[in-house]
């Protein structure tokens, strides 16, 4: 059974800091890994999708990496802003045809 | 291109009743997945539909069911509601099952 863990559960940083969010998964038989952000009471916004054959993806200030063999992914956020405050979730889509989500990291960026 | 839409956005039901939630995917997307999100259990996969067929199912009781229509719109039904069914129900669509998922705003269901 696939398990996804995100550490830390919460993170508070001052504006402008670069930061890394971590996601680990137990079963490396995945098709892809996707990072999302969720604002309170809202749906999920897709940030980046990394296919199992890829090592990283970049979008603006965001960079996500994937190391399938070790079961790890990181989301790097450069020059954080208060608007980045949200819960960040990672999800792996497995060969079993299901998405498994981590519990998320709640990020607070202080002005 | 319009995003994923879900109706209704909020719903209050009493125990024992049934409820139907609706999801309209992004135009051209054939895969629709449903998730339940609660503070205690996080995001849990309910089921996925592709071209009107249920492809995968999560570990939920048979009271949870769904269907997909020929235009890819999907409905989810919960019968004999229990207090523990109170949650945010999220729908996601994608081009194919292994493509990026795009989520709707969710339906907040409260069971009293």
């Amino acid at each position: 059974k696939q398990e996804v863990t995100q550490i830390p559960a919460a993170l508070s940083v001052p504006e402008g800091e670069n930061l890394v969010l971590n996601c680990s998964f137990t079963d490396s038989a995945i098709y892809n890994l996707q990072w999302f952000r969720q604002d309170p009471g809202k749906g999920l916004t897709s940030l980046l999708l990394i296919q199992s054959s890829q090592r990283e993806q970049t979008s603006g200030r965001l960079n996500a990496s994937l190391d399938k063999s070790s079961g790890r992914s990181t989301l790097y956020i450069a020059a954080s802003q208060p608007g980045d405050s949200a819960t960040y979730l990672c999800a792996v889509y497995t060969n079993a045809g299901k998405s498994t989500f981590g519990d998320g990291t709640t990020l607070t960026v202080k002005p | 291109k319009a995003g994923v839409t879900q109706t209704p956005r909020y719903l209050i039901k009493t125990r024992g009743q049934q409820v139907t939630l609706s999801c309209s995917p992004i135009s051209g997307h054939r895969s629709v997945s449903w998730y339940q999100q609660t503070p205690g259990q996080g995001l849990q996969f309910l089921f996925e539909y592709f071209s009107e067929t249920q492809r995968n199912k999560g570990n939920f009781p048979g009271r949870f069911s769904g269907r997909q229509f020929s235009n890819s719109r999907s409905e989810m039904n919960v019968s004999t509601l229990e207090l523990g069914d109170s949650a945010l129900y999220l729908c996601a669509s994608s081009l194919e099952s292994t493509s990026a998922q795009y989520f709707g705003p969710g339906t907040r269901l409260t069971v009293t």
Side-chain angles (χ1 to χ4, degrees):
Chain A
K1 179 189 169 188
Q2 178 74 266
E3 293 182 3
V4 179
T5 304
Q6 292 187 246
I7 294 174
L11 183 62
S12 181
V13 301
E15 182 177 2
E17 194 162 294
N18 302 326
L19 59 102
V20 174
L21 306 180
N22 297 291
C23 171
S24 61
F25 47 95
T26 55
D27 184 351
S28 62
I30 65 170
Y31 274 118
N32 60 50
L33 184 146
Q34 194 168 358
W35 282 93
F36 299 88
R37 69 172 279 169
Q38 185 175 31
D39 295 287
K42 302 287 180 65
L44 278 65
T45 300
S46 176
L47 297 174
L48 289 164
L49 172 76
I50 310 178
Q51 299 293 348
S52 62
S53 59
Q54 297 176 320
R55 296 284 294 183
E56 65 179 276
Q57 283 287 336
T58 298
S59 176
R61 294 183 295 110
L62 305 179
N63 176 278
S65 68
L66 174 64
D67 184 343
K68 208 171 72 162
S69 60
S70 67
R72 291 173 187 251
S73 176
T74 61
L75 178 67
Y76 174 83
I77 302 177
S80 58
Q81 303 169 358
D84 294 331
S85 297
T87 296
Y88 290 80
L89 297 131
C90 69
V92 294
Y93 188 84
T94 68
N95 295 348
K98 299 179 183 180
S99 283
T100 303
F101 280 78
D103 288 335
T105 294
T106 299
L107 172 66
T108 303
V109 181
K110 298 179 180 178
Chain B
K1 204 180 244 188
V4 179
T5 59
Q6 291 187 245
T7 57
R9 293 292 311 280
Y10 302 91
L11 208 47
I12 300 176
K13 292 285 189 179
T14 55
R15 274 189 313 173
Q17 287 186 313
Q18 76 166 21
V19 67
T20 299
L21 312 182
S22 180
C23 172
S24 292
I26 292 171
S27 177
H29 285 194
R30 295 188 293 167
S31 172
V32 174
S33 297
W34 288 90
Y35 297 86
Q36 181 195 67
Q37 187 176 34
T38 59
Q41 299 296 320
L43 257 163
Q44 292 188 289
F45 172 76
L46 280 156
F47 29 65
E48 181 208 356
Y49 285 86
F50 185 88
S51 293
E52 302 180 66
T53 301
Q54 186 180 89
R55 269 196 174 175
N56 294 292
K57 192 176 190 310
N59 298 323
F60 279 82
R63 299 185 297 107
F64 292 82
S65 63
R67 59 178 175 169
Q68 186 179 34
F69 301 95
S70 58
N71 62 358
S72 293
R73 188 177 71 85
S74 177
E75 288 182 346
M76 189 192 91
N77 184 275
V78 187
S79 62
T80 319
L81 284 166
E82 300 177 0
L83 295 178
D85 297 333
S86 294
L88 180 66
Y89 289 88
L90 293 162
C91 157
S93 78
S94 57
L95 274 170
E96 302 286 343
S97 299
T98 56
S99 304
Q101 295 187 78
Y102 297 91
F103 280 77
T107 294
R108 172 75 62 185
L109 172 65
T110 303
V111 182
T112 62

